[in-house]
Amino acid sequence: MRQKPNLPHLVSASSTKLQRSAPARDRFREQLGAWFLENGRDLPWRRTRDPYAILVSELMLQQTQVATVQPYFERWLARFPDFRTLAAAEESEVLHAWQGLGYYARARNLHRAARHVVERHAGALPDDSAAIAALPGVGRYTQGAIASFAFDRPAAAVDANIARVLARLFAIEEPIDSTAGARRVWEAAELLLPRTGGGLHTSGLMELGALLCTPRGPQCLVCPVRVHCAGAGAPELFPVKKAPRAQVGLDENCAWIVKRGAVLLEQQTGARWRGLWKLPPLAGGAPGDPPLWKATYPFTHHRVTLRVYSSGAPRKLGTSQRWFTPVALKEAALPSPHRRAVDALAAMPRLLNV
């Protein structure tokens, strides 16, 4: 863990005023809102107050960068424009549309949430905190984000960008990924809430963290609320976080099995990739020959090495196995590492003409 800051001069009159003075908080919100209206990015989910579109964007943006999400968001709304359309879709169709974004539990939760809204609220999510909180996959942050962006209510929403802004603004010395640190961050978020206009306020905090109050090289000199910030003198010290877990290496050896131009895939049943198709595991140990495909990818605190080897067809298929023609392969929902491997290997005629 980064050493706990011991800089009394950072606990300055600025943060004390924010904590104790309502006029100081009003001024902070005015400056932040004016800056956002002038500098905020034009993102597709900021052009709507539709609760469905906001929910889609928020689940997509979890652990995924804005630039990656934008085309997925627009294609998703074209295919599933509302809760009813999504609720009526098959899970395989939903997973295929999500393919490439990873963390597929988000897609399943979104699908479940759509069915929940159709069954409980006739397809229209109400402006009600309990109704929002009851949606599958919606935690404290997402609940606040939907309330803010869809209904413009003053509701605290703390994502990674906002947590970093608040940790610097109030010079929070506890690790923000600890119970005590998280509690202080949420208390700070609630302290700064406006009486009205929750969407503008939350957007401003989020955008400040994305554009100026960045993890590295924060631009304090042009920050619109620098005068209020207790950490402006040494922003690199915040936020404090617990020491990361060491990465563990894992091997994933899979089989490339082709029969009459069709590829064998296996549908997953576990929590990680349930419903997705992937290359079947290689029977026995890895052969001495080099793999047809090799790549690494991260998964939580693991670094997985995926190797794909040529293998013969089984005498009998397992209940979760199926042959896929080249056309069907394109429509199958695969996790990204296996999609990249399958696309690369299927593009080699010699590996399909078996």
Side-chain angles (χ1 to χ4, degrees):
M1 183 175 70
R2 187 189 309 168
Q3 186 176 4
K4 187 175 181 179
N6 184 20
L7 300 172
H9 66 279
L10 288 182
V11 186
S12 61
S14 57
S15 63
T16 303
K17 284 183 179 179
L18 281 181
Q19 290 169 334
R20 298 180 180 177
S21 168
R25 294 192 291 272
D26 288 341
R27 182 60 179 155
F28 169 86
R29 289 187 287 263
E30 290 171 5
Q31 292 168 327
L32 179 68
W35 173 83
F36 175 78
L37 291 174
E38 181 70 24
N39 298 280
R41 291 168 293 176
D42 179 22
L43 301 174
W45 44 87
R46 288 181 175 163
R47 303 173 200 148
T48 181
R49 288 287 182 86
D50 177 13
Y52 170 74
I54 299 299
L55 175 62
V56 171
S57 70
E58 288 302 329
L59 291 186
M60 285 188 172
L61 286 164
Q62 290 174 6
Q63 303 180 355
T64 307
Q65 294 182 344
V66 167
T68 300
V69 166
Q70 287 192 65
Y72 277 92
F73 175 78
E74 291 167 347
R75 288 196 298 267
W76 185 279
L77 290 187
R79 189 169 185 177
F80 310 115
D82 51 37
F83 284 114
R84 289 188 179 279
T85 308
L86 180 58
E90 295 293 330
E91 184 179 86
S92 59
E93 185 183 4
V94 173
L95 294 176
H96 184 267
W98 195 272
Q99 186 175 245
L101 280 175
Y103 301 100
Y104 287 86
R106 297 179 296 170
R108 286 189 283 269
N109 282 333
L110 186 52
H111 195 200
R112 290 170 56 216
R115 291 179 171 176
H116 176 96
V117 172
V118 169
E119 293 168 2
R120 306 284 182 88
H121 307 293
L125 182 65
D127 179 5
D128 176 80
S129 297
I132 298 171
L135 294 177
V138 170
R140 189 177 183 184
Y141 161 74
T142 308
Q143 178 186 357
I146 294 172
S148 296
F149 301 141
F151 302 112
D152 205 30
R153 288 201 283 108
V158 177
D159 69 350
N161 281 326
I162 292 178
R164 183 171 56 256
V165 169
L166 296 175
R168 288 171 174 166
L169 193 65
F170 291 91
I172 295 174
E173 298 184 5
E174 294 87 352
I176 63 169
D177 49 356
S178 68
T179 301
R183 182 173 60 250
R184 284 207 59 195
V185 168
W186 278 93
E187 288 172 351
E190 290 169 351
L191 176 69
L192 294 177
L193 285 175
R195 288 176 289 278
T196 60
L200 176 62
H201 176 74
T202 301
S203 295
L205 284 174
M206 195 175 293
E207 198 75 338
L208 189 67
L211 300 185
L212 298 184
C213 197
T214 50
R216 290 170 292 279
Q219 302 179 56
C220 295
L221 293 181
V222 294
C223 176
V225 292
R226 184 177 187 274
V227 66
H228 304 283
C229 184
E236 68 282 354
L237 294 178
F238 304 97
V240 179
K241 292 185 178 181
K242 295 187 292 187
R245 295 178 66 178
Q247 278 201 332
V248 178
L250 290 179
D251 291 324
E252 184 182 9
N253 296 322
C254 293
W256 179 255
I257 302 172
V258 180
K259 185 177 181 180
R260 298 190 197 81
V263 178
L264 185 65
L265 297 181
E266 184 174 288
Q267 193 170 39
Q268 304 305 290
T269 57
R272 177 182 174 189
W273 283 338
R274 179 173 57 83
L276 300 179
W277 295 88
K278 64 184 281 291
L279 294 166
L282 186 71
D289 296 335
L292 300 174
W293 170 268
K294 177 182 176 182
T296 60
Y297 64 91
F299 175 68
T300 60
H301 63 283
H302 297 93
R303 189 72 180 172
V304 183
T305 299
L306 171 63
R307 298 180 181 87
V308 183
Y309 297 89
S310 180
S311 184
R315 292 183 179 179
K316 183 180 180 181
L317 296 187
T319 56
S320 60
Q321 294 180 330
R322 188 183 124 193
W323 295 105
F324 283 77
T325 65
V327 173
L329 271 179
K330 295 179 181 178
E331 296 300 318
L334 281 73
S336 295
H338 286 255
R339 168 56 67 189
R340 289 191 290 269
V342 166
D343 286 349
L345 296 173
M348 303 178 190
R350 67 179 179 84
L351 296 180
L352 274 182
N353 297 329
V354 179

